[in-house]
């Protein structure tokens, strides 16, 4: 992965990420758009009828009325069947997601929730149903071309277009849902999300100015939960206006409870409460918005489930190790640990503690190493991954890799009594057993 430089967070980045974790926002916006589209189509239909009546083209208008009456049967069928179709499709999908969460990890459910194709499909399905109801309300009992007020011609064409989009999205959605049940696409999605987090990480030297003595602390108020993300831009602005340095005490992903400190103030007084409002977001679970370690956490969870005696799927663990090594190889030379956010003048205004290199290595390998006894496939892949990282790592970052390799050798020597089997298990192989 090439270093493309630090990409500052967007002003609405936290709000955007929170909305992506919901399933109601996209359908709600779809309802608004459908209603606006219906109003516009109604105006066009009324104008078409008025135009034909002004031109006294009653025969042509009668043909349009006949066409719209024929289309009414199709619209009625769509309206009555669409909601049933929505229920069946998403019931099957929820069963598939439940199977995937049981086979891999419950954390994969967030992939379904954040999936754009899932939200787009639901939005178009519901939009088609709502639009069909609105179109049915536009039909008149009057069929005399001289007295008719509105003929839902454009509306009928639009509902047919929405129906076609629904069928196309249904095929795409089923394909995407089936991929969610496969290990490869899931771990690939986790890795890609982790690289997006890397794209938002500060680059370059992270040297800090002297913080000075701690003068105050800000306590957490509100519900207990996981620290999911921090609005760094808001905190930097608040610290600059108060001419202080703020230090985030918990890490992203830590569980915080009311009354515990979340921010330490250095060099002055606490910024006003309104400037700190909504700067720290707490939720019921972690996300990958700012949490690089969460990607490795998910991969490790999937690997551990694959290595459990109940599942006994070492190939899944090997696929997870592939992606863990890929992520670690991408960060092996990047600055990690404490991050210093600066204002426009270049002064440090926010200090944020993050996972260091050793933390990430332990997260990726420690628990898996404890469970590899009896699985030479995973042992060989783990040895190959550590050897690859030792080739890439600078000298100061080789220590945790050497430690894990030595502990793996000790584990094999302790659990594998036959010398030939030990030699086989410790032979590096990127496919496990190719």
């Amino acid at each position: 992965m090439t270093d493309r430089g630090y990409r500052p967070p967007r002003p609405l980045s936290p709000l955007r990420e929170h909305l992506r974790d919901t399933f109601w926002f996209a359908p709600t916006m779809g309802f608004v758009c459908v209603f606006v589209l219906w109003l516009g189509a109604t105006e066009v239909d009324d104008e078409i009828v008025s135009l034909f009546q002004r031109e006294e083209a009653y025969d042509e208008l009668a043909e349009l009325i006949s066409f719209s009456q024929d289309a009414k049967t199709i619209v009625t069928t769509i309206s009555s069947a669409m909601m049933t179709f929505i229920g069946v499709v998403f019931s099957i999908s929820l069963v598939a997601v439940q199977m995937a969460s049981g086979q891999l990890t419950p954390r994969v459910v967030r992939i379904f929730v954040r999936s754009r194709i899932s939200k787009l499909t639901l939005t178009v399905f519901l939009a088609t149903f709502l639009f069909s109801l609105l179109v049915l309300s536009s039909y008149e009992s009057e069929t005399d071309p001289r007295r008719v007020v509105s003929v839902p011609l454009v509306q009928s064409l639009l509902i047919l277009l929405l129906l076609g989009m629904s069928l196309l999205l249904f095929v795409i959605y089923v394909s995407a849902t089936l991929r969610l049940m496969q290990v490869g696409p899931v771990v690939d999605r986790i890795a890609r999300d982790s690289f997006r987090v890397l794209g938002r990480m500060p680059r370059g030297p992270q040297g800090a100015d002297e913080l000075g003595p701690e003068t105050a602390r800000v306590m957490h108020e509100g519900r207990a939960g996981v620290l999911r993300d921090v609005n760094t831009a808001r905190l930097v602005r608040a610290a600059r206006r108060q001419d202080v340095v703020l230090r985030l005490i918990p890490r992203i992903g830590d569980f915080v409870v009311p009354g515990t400190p979340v921010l330490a103030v250095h060099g002055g007084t606490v910024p006003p409460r309104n400037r700190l409002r909504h700067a720290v977001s707490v939720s019921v679970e972690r996300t990958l918005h700012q949490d690089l370690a969460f990607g490795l956490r998910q991969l490790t969870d999937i690997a551990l489930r694959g290595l459990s005696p109940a599942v006994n799927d070492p190939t899944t663990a090997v696929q997870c190790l592939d992606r863990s090594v890929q992520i670690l190889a991408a960060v092996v030379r990047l600055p990690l640990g404490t991050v210093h956010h600066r204002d426009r003048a270049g002064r440090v205004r926010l200090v944020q503690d993050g996972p260091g290199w050793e933390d990430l290595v332990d997260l990726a390998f420690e628990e898996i190493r404890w469970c590899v006894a009896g699985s030479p496939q995973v042992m060989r892949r783990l040895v190959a991954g550590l050897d690859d990282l030792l080739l890439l790592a600078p000298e100061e970052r080789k220590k945790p890799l050497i430690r894990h390799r030595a502990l793996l050798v000790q584990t094999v020597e302790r659990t594998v009594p036959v010398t030939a089997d030990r030699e086989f298990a410790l032979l590096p192989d990127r496919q496990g057993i190719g």
Side-chain angles (χ1 to χ4, degrees), residues 391-412:
L391 291 175
L392 297 173
E395 195 62 35
E396 65 273 11
R397 289 193 171 180
K398 290 185 177 181
K399 183 178 178 180
L401 300 172
I402 295 173
R403 177 173 61 85
H404 277 284
R405 200 184 193 289
L407 290 174
L408 178 62
V409 172
Q410 294 177 16
T411 300
V412 174

Side-chain angles (χ1 to χ4, degrees), residues 329-381:
V331 303
V332 68
R333 295 182 179 274
L334 296 182
L336 298 171
T338 303
V339 179
H340 301 89
H341 301 275
R342 302 174 183 270
D343 59 16
R344 294 177 180 176
R347 296 188 59 184
V348 173
R349 293 301 183 184
L350 174 64
V351 178
Q352 181 179 356
D353 188 23
W357 169 250
E358 188 170 354
D359 298 325
L360 297 178
V361 172
D362 290 341
L363 178 57
F365 298 136
E366 183 73 26
E367 292 174 288
I368 296 177
R369 183 173 52 77
W370 284 44
C371 300
V372 296
S375 179
Q377 180 182 1
V378 183
M379 293 178 186
R380 289 159 62 102
R381 180 63 185 98

Side-chain angles (χ1 to χ4, degrees), residues 293-308:
F294 187 49
L296 291 172
R297 176 72 271 166
Q298 292 180 86
L299 293 172
T300 301
D301 286 347
I302 297 173
L304 292 176
R305 182 160 298 199
L307 291 172
S308 66

Side-chain angles (χ1 to χ4, degrees), residues 203-270:
R203 298 286 194 268
Q206 288 294 311
D209 303 332
E210 185 65 31
L211 289 182
E214 181 181 316
T215 55
R217 286 193 169 189
V218 178
M219 303 301 173
H220 174 59
E221 298 178 357
R223 63 175 181 174
V226 175
L227 181 62
R228 62 183 294 175
D229 57 38
V230 176
N231 193 327
T232 56
R234 181 184 289 269
L235 289 176
V236 168
R237 286 196 303 268
R240 178 177 56 82
R241 291 172 180 173
Q242 201 71 14
D243 195 20
V244 297
V245 178
L246 298 177
R247 177 172 56 86
L248 187 67
I249 296 176
R251 285 185 182 180
I252 299 294
D254 285 356
F255 191 87
V256 295
V257 297
T260 56
V262 290
L263 289 170
V265 183
H266 294 262
T269 59
V270 179

Side-chain angles (χ1 to χ4, degrees), residues 318 321 372-384 408 411-412 415-416 421 424-429 432:
V318 168
L321 282 172
V372 296
S375 179
Q377 180 182 1
V378 183
M379 293 178 186
R380 289 159 62 102
R381 180 63 185 98
L382 187 52
V383 173
L408 178 62
T411 300
V412 174
T415 58
V416 182
D421 289 342
F424 179 82
L426 291 174
L427 185 65
D429 187 346

Side-chain angles (χ1 to χ4, degrees), residues 16 55 91 96 146 257 264 269-270 273 278 301 318 325 418:
R16 174 176 172 270
E55 298 293 333
S91 295
R146 291 173 174 79
V257 297
T269 59
V270 179
R273 177 64 60 180
H278 307 306
D301 286 347
V318 168
V325 172
V418 182

Side-chain angles (χ1 to χ4, degrees), residues 3 26 40 61 100 103 113 150 163 177 279 319 373 390 423:
D3 185 0
L61 183 56
Q103 178 186 358
V113 173
S150 176
L163 177 62
T177 303
Q319 290 178 279
L390 282 169
E423 294 176 352

